[in-house]
Amino acid sequence: MLEKYLDYSAEVLEAKKAGKAIVALESTIISHGMPYPQNVETAKEVEDIIRQGGAVPATIAILDGKIKIGISDEELEFLATSNDIEKASRRDLPYLIATKKNGATTVAATMICAELAGIEVFVTGGIGGVHREAETTMDISADLQELAKTNVAVVCAGAKSILDIGLTMEYLETNGVPVVGYETDKLPAFYTRSSEFDVNFRVDDASTAADLIRTKWELGLNGGVVIANPIPEEHALEEAFITNVIETALKEAKENNIAGKNVTPFLLGKVKELTEGTSLTANIALVKHNAVVGAGIAVKLQK
Amino acid sequence: MLEKYLDYSAEVLEAKKAGKAIVALESTIISHGMPYPQNVETAKEVEDIIRQGGAVPATIAILDGKIKIGISDEELEFLATSNDIEKASRRDLPYLIATKKNGATTVAATMICAELAGIEVFVTGGIGGVHREAETTMDISADLQELAKTNVAVVCAGAKSILDIGLTMEYLETNGVPVVGYETDKLPAFYTRSSEFDVNFRVDDASTAADLIRTKWELGLNGGVVIANPIPEEHALEEAFITNVIETALKEAKENNIAGKNVTPFLLGKVKELTEGTSLTANIALVKHNAVVGAGIAVKLQK
Amino acid sequence: MLEKYLDYSAEVLEAKKAGKAIVALESTIISHGMPYPQNVETAKEVEDIIRQGGAVPATIAILDGKIKIGISDEELEFLATSNDIEKASRRDLPYLIATKKNGATTVAATMICAELAGIEVFVTGGIGGVHREAETTMDISADLQELAKTNVAVVCAGAKSILDIGLTMEYLETNGVPVVGYETDKLPAFYTRSSEFDVNFRVDDASTAADLIRTKWELGLNGGVVIANPIPEEHALEEAFITNVIETALKEAKENNIAGKNVTPFLLGKVKELTEGTSLTANIALVKHNAVVGAGIAVKLQK
Ligand SMILES: [Mn+2]
Ligand SMILES: [Mn+2]
Ligand SMILES: [Mn+2]
């Protein structure tokens, strides 16, 4: 039944048959997260890093209503340049697939497709979370509910501080999702190596991370594991700088009566504007670093 | 095991054996939603519309602790006139069934019973949602959690605007529930054909709706699908009129220090008082229209 | 697979083989809930009460990474006196087990381990809930999500009124969890026999409670059932007294700018300080009473 929906690349199919470690990658970063041609370059470099780590990359996207598990160079170019790619979260998959449309998968949708394909590790930049002002807007990313129920480990650099990280941690705690620091006691915040929040647990090697993940699922404790891996020191933005950028942006938002659901896109735009090139460089660096860690964990899980 | 709890009408049992399309109907609208005798008349007319559409109606209720899947004329009369019928949501089913009581099933409980009986489509008036002031009261209908997990498509005219429709849409998005507009881009709001909110997707025929629903469940994406079907134009209330009614009611509520959980019943009462006959007529018209659409989708799903 | 994680005591293992009723007990009350030596004495007395009721007690804890289902006297002493015992909720189990650490199980984690061991009834003091100010802090105990999905009946004396009991009831309703009063119409609030809130249903004997629980699970309605059993009259604190204590504490919190997540520990400390010996005596009395009721229900469920 499922087979008719999934379309594996030759590389991934071979890896599955050989029992090799596979690492899922999302496509929102390609279609909506980075400008061209950096999106294509980064996607290819990240795939290569995973190969060098001894695993096989499986970039996931919806193309013509098929769930692609692994994409070709032409498909990557299409995802990176077309304007006809919807952002695909859990709620969007049935529509996009039934009506044969294209979709770039978010963290939530990539987790779903990875689980369908039997892939246990997924590398991304940052997870979605509880938005600032969510106390009144209830704007909470579907990524968090996916982490609560879908069996995929998500290697990321934490969540962006334009989100409310404290509320995000509370939501994950209520839903029983472990947030594991990789070589860190502090929760990283995407552009920065730390935040004011502690991770739940620290692990210092891929083997321990893999043990924790395997134990969770063997116990029947369904849901994801957040592996929070800080951005490499040399590319990290200053915490004071990024905090200042966000505070400036929040102040501007207030002055312009931007509230509720409009705050997040406004903050995203301001951060981009005020940090310019450095934020893109940082984003690329952290994703690559996550790929190194993710491949390592995937290899250990396969043993 | 399950069999001892379920009691099928002869018509539904035959339909199951013959592999015919079946459409579930709820009983709260009968016991608590409409006055007598309009409740009985409407229930019968809606059942007939479903039969004319090529499907078999299965009105669901709890009687003497049995889950009725399809009810007789006498049972309908009893549900429509007795004062001894509890409102039954998810949390109530075990108690009512174990202690052999009577219950009129809400959207949540009807979804549960439909799924137990293998029925995939359910026609109702409107779904529950996030209540106004839920930011502080946490008053959120159990219907939304049911939509997050139970595999039944719910054909409705949206949610009443006495609820907070924006927060309801956020909650459904977080939980991955598709809200599909049937021949509309705008989310209908029960008495009106539209609201300020967009649906997630628009479909224009039963076949596409059925494809989307089937795809969702075949992918293992558990949970419902909201098919939002606007009230027919000739029976729709004016958006300005109903907005004005609600604003008047909200103002009165504030003046009388009615807050939190007391707001919704107050608003319901005021809408009834200020719209009088027209709101009942509208309610009947939209349910009938939902029955037409629901039967069509059920027939397509059965193919 | 599961077997390697679970370590049964001889008594529990024998009970399982003989098909005897078993009642789970948590260990947070031992390690973090009561001072020494009252914690050891109470744990033993509660176990004996369960035996006298015709069931077998299974105190649950994580020791050296094993899930203990039933503990020895030495293990009890260790849990009661060591400083090296983590508080273990759902999110903590994989880490503690994979890294071979010790953990005292909360309501959520005890429910999980009980279900893994096939135990249907769990006796505790009180459940976690929605914290005061959770509208802004989103501080909601993982116990509530566990009640939403894990098939264990939890016999307790309600929730402490330092929590927001009204919001806790709303959250449970949204998630379809029945809150059943045992010989009471009013929700007990731990130290007091009642609160301003009604339970959903009242049952007056173990047999009816067991029927309700069995019916729920046979219908496939996954999740827990709260059996709210009021503290015995002779040990109950006065509602006016405890309300006054909490109001005094809330006032002090405000004067000292204690807000958000810091409110609950502050209130807990103040209640302890202002009620002194009486609150410990009450706590012991209510747990013992819950053990009587829990054993009775477990025996009925086993029939
Ligand atoms: Mn959102
Ligand atoms: Mn409610
Ligand atoms: Mn908490």
Side-chain angles (χ1 to χ4, degrees):
Chain A
M1 187 69 84
L2 215 49
E3 294 316 302
K4 73 178 181 201
Y5 294 111
L6 296 172
D7 190 5
Y8 291 94
S9 71
E11 184 187 15
V12 174
L13 203 60
E14 206 173 294
K16 275 183 78 79
K17 282 178 189 156
K20 279 195 72 174
I22 306 175
V23 172
L25 296 165
E26 43 119 333
S27 40
T28 293
I29 196 173
I30 301 169
S31 297
H32 308 112
M34 280 186 193
Y36 185 84
Q38 286 91 338
N39 51 2
V40 172
E41 287 162 18
T42 304
K44 287 187 178 179
E45 284 169 17
V46 166
E47 290 207 347
D48 278 339
I49 290 168
I50 287 168
R51 288 186 194 99
Q52 284 154 30
V56 166
T59 299
I60 287 174
I62 312 300
L63 291 175
D64 285 326
K66 287 278 179 190
I67 300 174
K68 309 295 281 189
I69 310 290
I71 57 172
S72 67
D73 284 0
E74 293 73 44
E75 289 165 340
L76 172 57
E77 195 72 22
F78 176 70
L79 283 165
T81 56
S82 169
N83 290 317
D84 186 31
I85 316 282
E86 306 283 328
K87 202 167 164 181
S89 184
R90 170 175 275 264
R91 78 163 184 206
D92 308 297
L93 290 176
Y95 174 76
L96 296 175
I97 291 169
T99 60
K100 306 204 186 310
K101 291 202 166 44
N102 303 312
T105 50
T106 64
V107 168
T110 308
M111 287 180 74
I112 291 168
C113 297
E115 192 181 51
L116 289 176
I119 302 172
E120 298 183 318
V121 177
F122 159 35
V123 162
T124 185
I127 56 168
V130 178
H131 288 259
R132 284 171 189 255
E133 307 209 11
E135 312 92 287
T136 49
T137 64
M138 288 198 184
D139 190 1
I140 298 173
S141 167
D143 293 354
L144 301 187
Q145 276 298 317
E146 212 59 51
L147 283 163
K149 64 185 161 201
T150 300
N151 290 2
V152 174
V154 181
V155 183
C156 62
K160 285 186 190 161
S161 56
I162 55 158
L163 299 170
D164 191 316
I165 299 182
L167 295 186
T168 301
M169 288 297 280
E170 287 293 337
Y171 196 92
L172 290 170
E173 181 179 354
T174 300
N175 284 278
V177 179
V179 178
V180 180
Y182 197 83
E183 297 185 317
T184 183
D185 294 306
K186 284 288 169 190
L187 183 69
F190 204 79
Y191 295 123
T192 59
R193 289 181 57 80
S194 68
S195 66
E196 59 176 308
F197 300 95
D198 293 333
V199 295
N200 303 151
F201 321 105
R202 173 191 180 125
V203 302
D204 287 298
D205 56 81
S207 182
T208 309
D211 283 352
L212 185 159
I213 294 163
R214 181 63 67 222
T215 300
K216 183 171 195 286
W217 297 334
E218 282 188 355
L219 285 167
L221 299 176
N222 288 330
V225 174
V226 176
I227 305 290
N229 182 40
I231 182 171
E233 203 125 27
E234 63 271 33
H235 296 287
L237 303 192
E238 287 291 325
E239 204 166 330
F241 168 67
I242 196 83
T243 303
N244 189 45
V245 164
I246 289 173
E247 272 167 14
T248 304
L250 282 171
K251 211 182 133 209
E252 250 183 79
K254 200 162 246 173
E255 284 165 10
N256 292 283
N257 291 316
I258 291 161
K261 286 219 58 153
N262 300 317
V263 171
T264 296
F266 182 81
L267 292 183
L268 268 176
K270 276 287 153 191
V271 169
K272 205 175 161 188
E273 180 191 322
L274 297 173
T275 64
E276 233 179 283
T278 52
S279 69
L280 178 58
T281 309
N283 197 343
I284 293 169
L286 66 86
V287 174
K288 288 183 185 176
H289 188 218
N290 292 344
V292 174
V293 170
I297 295 171
V299 167
K300 289 292 178 190
L301 272 170
Q302 207 59 18
K303 293 219 165 118
Chain B
M1 187 70 86
L2 215 50
E3 294 317 301
K4 73 178 182 201
Y5 294 110
L6 296 172
D7 191 5
Y8 292 93
S9 71
E11 183 187 16
V12 174
L13 203 61
E14 206 175 293
K16 275 184 77 78
K17 282 179 188 156
K20 280 196 71 173
I22 307 176
V23 173
L25 297 164
E26 43 118 336
S27 40
T28 293
I29 196 173
I30 301 169
S31 296
H32 308 112
M34 280 186 193
Y36 185 84
Q38 285 91 338
N39 52 2
V40 171
E41 286 163 19
T42 304
K44 287 188 177 178
E45 283 170 18
V46 166
E47 291 207 346
D48 277 341
I49 290 169
I50 286 168
R51 287 186 195 100
Q52 284 154 30
V56 166
T59 299
I60 288 174
I62 312 300
L63 291 174
D64 285 327
K66 287 277 181 191
I67 301 173
K68 309 295 281 191
I69 310 290
I71 58 173
S72 68
D73 283 359
E74 294 73 42
E75 289 165 339
L76 172 56
E77 195 73 22
F78 175 69
L79 283 166
T81 56
S82 169
N83 290 318
D84 185 32
I85 316 282
E86 305 284 329
K87 201 167 164 180
S89 184
R90 171 175 275 263
R91 80 164 182 206
D92 308 299
L93 290 175
Y95 175 76
L96 295 175
I97 292 169
T99 61
K100 305 203 186 312
K101 292 203 165 42
N102 303 312
T105 50
T106 63
V107 168
T110 308
M111 286 180 76
I112 291 168
C113 298
E115 191 181 52
L116 289 176
I119 302 172
E120 299 184 317
V121 176
F122 159 35
V123 162
T124 185
I127 56 168
V130 178
H131 289 259
R132 284 171 190 256
E133 307 210 10
E135 312 92 286
T136 49
T137 64
M138 289 200 184
D139 190 1
I140 298 172
S141 168
D143 293 355
L144 300 188
Q145 276 298 318
E146 211 60 50
L147 283 162
K149 64 186 162 201
T150 299
N151 290 1
V152 173
V154 181
V155 183
C156 63
K160 285 184 189 162
S161 55
I162 56 158
L163 298 170
D164 190 315
I165 298 182
L167 294 186
T168 301
M169 288 298 278
E170 286 294 338
Y171 196 92
L172 290 171
E173 181 179 354
T174 299
N175 284 279
V177 179
V179 178
V180 180
Y182 198 82
E183 296 184 319
T184 181
D185 295 305
K186 286 286 170 191
L187 184 69
F190 203 78
Y191 296 124
T192 59
R193 288 181 58 79
S194 69
S195 66
E196 57 176 309
F197 300 95
D198 293 333
V199 295
N200 303 151
F201 319 105
R202 174 193 178 123
V203 302
D204 287 297
D205 55 81
S207 182
T208 308
D211 283 351
L212 185 159
I213 293 162
R214 179 65 67 222
T215 299
K216 183 170 196 287
W217 297 335
E218 282 188 355
L219 286 167
L221 300 177
N222 288 331
V225 174
V226 176
I227 305 290
N229 181 41
I231 182 172
E233 203 125 26
E234 63 270 34
H235 295 287
L237 303 192
E238 288 291 325
E239 205 168 330
F241 169 66
I242 196 84
T243 303
N244 188 46
V245 164
I246 288 173
E247 272 168 14
T248 305
L250 282 171
K251 210 181 132 209
E252 250 183 80
K254 199 162 248 174
E255 285 165 9
N256 291 283
N257 292 315
I258 291 161
K261 286 219 57 153
N262 300 317
V263 171
T264 296
F266 182 81
L267 292 183
L268 267 176
K270 275 286 153 190
V271 168
K272 204 174 161 188
E273 181 192 320
L274 298 171
T275 64
E276 233 179 282
T278 52
S279 69
L280 178 58
T281 309
N283 198 344
I284 293 169
L286 67 86
V287 173
K288 286 183 185 175
H289 188 218
N290 292 343
V292 174
V293 170
I297 294 172
V299 166
K300 289 292 178 188
L301 271 170
Q302 207 59 19
K303 292 217 166 118
Chain C
M1 189 69 84
L2 214 51
E3 294 316 302
K4 75 177 181 200
Y5 294 110
L6 296 172
D7 191 5
Y8 292 93
S9 71
E11 183 186 16
V12 173
L13 204 60
E14 206 174 291
K16 276 185 75 80
K17 283 179 187 155
K20 279 195 73 172
I22 306 176
V23 173
L25 296 164
E26 44 117 335
S27 40
T28 293
I29 195 173
I30 300 169
S31 297
H32 308 112
M34 281 186 193
Y36 185 85
Q38 285 91 339
N39 51 3
V40 172
E41 286 163 18
T42 305
K44 287 188 175 177
E45 284 170 18
V46 166
E47 290 207 346
D48 278 339
I49 290 168
I50 287 167
R51 287 186 194 100
Q52 284 154 29
V56 167
T59 299
I60 287 174
I62 312 300
L63 291 174
D64 285 325
K66 287 278 180 190
I67 302 174
K68 308 296 280 190
I69 310 291
I71 58 172
S72 68
D73 283 0
E74 294 73 43
E75 289 165 339
L76 172 57
E77 195 72 22
F78 175 70
L79 283 166
T81 56
S82 170
N83 290 317
D84 185 32
I85 316 282
E86 306 283 329
K87 202 167 165 180
S89 185
R90 170 175 274 262
R91 78 164 182 204
D92 308 298
L93 290 176
Y95 175 77
L96 295 175
I97 292 169
T99 60
K100 306 204 184 311
K101 292 203 165 44
N102 303 312
T105 51
T106 63
V107 168
T110 308
M111 287 179 74
I112 291 168
C113 298
E115 192 182 51
L116 289 175
I119 302 172
E120 299 183 318
V121 176
F122 159 35
V123 161
T124 185
I127 56 168
V130 178
H131 288 259
R132 285 172 188 255
E133 307 210 10
E135 312 92 287
T136 49
T137 64
M138 289 199 184
D139 191 1
I140 298 173
S141 169
D143 293 354
L144 301 187
Q145 276 297 319
E146 212 59 51
L147 284 163
K149 64 186 161 200
T150 300
N151 290 1
V152 173
V154 181
V155 182
C156 62
K160 285 185 190 161
S161 56
I162 55 159
L163 298 170
D164 190 316
I165 299 182
L167 295 186
T168 301
M169 289 297 280
E170 286 294 338
Y171 195 92
L172 290 170
E173 181 180 353
T174 300
N175 284 279
V177 179
V179 178
V180 180
Y182 198 84
E183 296 185 317
T184 182
D185 294 306
K186 285 287 170 191
L187 183 69
F190 204 79
Y191 294 124
T192 58
R193 289 182 56 80
S194 68
S195 65
E196 58 177 308
F197 300 95
D198 292 334
V199 295
N200 303 150
F201 320 105
R202 174 192 180 125
V203 303
D204 286 298
D205 56 82
S207 182
T208 308
D211 283 352
L212 185 160
I213 293 163
R214 180 63 68 222
T215 300
K216 184 171 195 288
W217 298 334
E218 284 188 355
L219 286 167
L221 300 177
N222 287 331
V225 174
V226 176
I227 304 291
N229 181 41
I231 183 172
E233 202 126 28
E234 62 271 33
H235 296 287
L237 303 193
E238 288 290 326
E239 205 167 329
F241 168 67
I242 197 83
T243 303
N244 189 45
V245 164
I246 288 173
E247 272 167 13
T248 305
L250 283 170
K251 210 181 133 209
E252 251 181 80
K254 200 162 247 175
E255 285 165 8
N256 292 282
N257 291 315
I258 291 160
K261 286 220 57 153
N262 300 317
V263 171
T264 297
F266 182 82
L267 292 183
L268 268 176
K270 275 288 155 189
V271 168
K272 205 174 160 190
E273 181 191 320
L274 297 172
T275 64
E276 232 179 284
T278 52
S279 69
L280 178 57
T281 310
N283 198 343
I284 293 169
L286 66 86
V287 174
K288 288 183 183 175
H289 188 218
N290 292 343
V292 174
V293 170
I297 294 171
V299 166
K300 289 292 178 189
L301 271 169
Q302 207 58 20
K303 291 211 168 126

